């Protein structure tokens, strides 16, 4: 009888340990999304979106209406959030479920709300600039010195037709280098007809990753990552990363807008060229909460990548780039 009780006890202990282990392992492996836009939900902009909508980019005639930026007639439709609360709630739930940390730029109040709702370490605030006529260099430096912002981005010079090496904006980069803050620069992607749509100053040529060379030479301590991986300029991206070992990239935006086969060709080429340790995961999240899962799924299903290579993209590379303590994010 005693033996049976002992056996039962051991069995219960084993079962308990096992289920504890299962609970622990049920926690999703950590993910860092380095490219999230914190914005107030604007009912005019917040239309539903069909991912990979740039699989078809029909041309238009200058005398006809410009094409729509987003396509909303695909089989998969991502619903836009209707309010700030709805968006925040869905974002927080997904972040918790998928054990996510985000680098967020945009509306400071929205960023503060998210920091309050999530664990503070899980939202890393970022401050951007897009020209020399927006925030002054002094105000920019003061903002960084408050310690609230840990990252500079999204730097949207391309939309203003400016090169990242343009002397006009050099002082901003000088501040970031001096304060040891990493910088994220939009390069490459522009959708279908960006110059005809909302940004007449947008220049595809200003998304050439090689335009970063002079900036990097002037600021050897500056830590830069190229947003959207400089898509579609793969050769230039590889050349730049080869010449400048500090440069990383993120995969944001391109992985849910351009044709899937094209995305995988681009990502595969970056890894094949030897840069698997310098690719960071990013969404370019705006108003569609389910875009997180959509984008993550693209990397999860990249069967040419090993488990370790995916973990590097989802987490390890960002930890190294941002000099984070990985134990805080497990
Ligand atoms: Zn961008």
């Amino acid at each position: 009888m005693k033996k049976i009780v002992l056996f039962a006890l051991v069995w219960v202990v084993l079962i308990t340990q096992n289920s504890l282990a299962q609970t622990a392992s049920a926690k999703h492996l950590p993910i860092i999304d380095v490219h999230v836009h914190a914005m107030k939900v604007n009912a005019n902009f917040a239309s539903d979106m069909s991912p990979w909508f740039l699989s078809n980019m029909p041309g238009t005639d200058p005398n006809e209406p410009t094409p729509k930026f987003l396509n909303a007639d695909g089989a998969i439709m991502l619903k836009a959030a209707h309010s700030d609360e709805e968006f925040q709630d869905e974002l927080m739930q997904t972040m918790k479920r998928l054990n996510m940390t985000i680098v967020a730029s945009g509306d400071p109040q929205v960023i503060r709300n998210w920091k309050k709702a999530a664990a503070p370490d899980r939202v890393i605030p970022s401050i951007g600039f897009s020209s020399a006529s927006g925030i002054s260099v002094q105000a920019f430096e003061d903002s960084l010195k408050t310690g609230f912002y840990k990252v500079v981005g999204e730097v949207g010079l391309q939309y203003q037709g400016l090169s990242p090496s343009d002397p006009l904006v050099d002082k901003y980069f000088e501040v970031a280098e001096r304060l040891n803050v990493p910088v994220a620069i939009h390069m490459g992607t522009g959708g279908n007809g960006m110059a005809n749509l909302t940004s007449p100053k947008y220049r595809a040529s200003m998304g050439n990753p090689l335009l970063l060379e002079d900036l990097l030479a002037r600021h050897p301590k500056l830590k830069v990552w190229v947003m959207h991986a400089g898509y579609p300029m793969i050769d230039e991206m590889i050349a730049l990363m080869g010449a400048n070992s500090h440069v990383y990239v993120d995969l944001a935006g391109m992985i849910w807008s351009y044709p899937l086969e094209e995305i995988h060709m681009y990502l595969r080429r970056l890894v094949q060229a030897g840069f698997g340790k310098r690719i960071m995961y990013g969404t370019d999240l705006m108003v569609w909460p389910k875009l997180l899962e959509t984008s993550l799924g693209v990397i999860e299903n990249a069967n040419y990548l090993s488990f370790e290579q995916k973990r590097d993209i989802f987490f390890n590379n960002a930890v190294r780039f941002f000099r984070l303590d990985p134990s805080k994010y497990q």
Side-chain angles (χ1 to χ4, degrees), residues 35 37 154-156 158-159 185-189 227-228 250 252-253 284 286:
H35 196 142
H37 292 283
E154 176 163 10
V155 176
Q158 191 181 356
Y159 291 96
I185 305 179
H186 172 103
M187 298 206 88
T189 59
M227 294 179 134
H228 319 291
D250 81 31
D284 212 348
M286 286 172 254

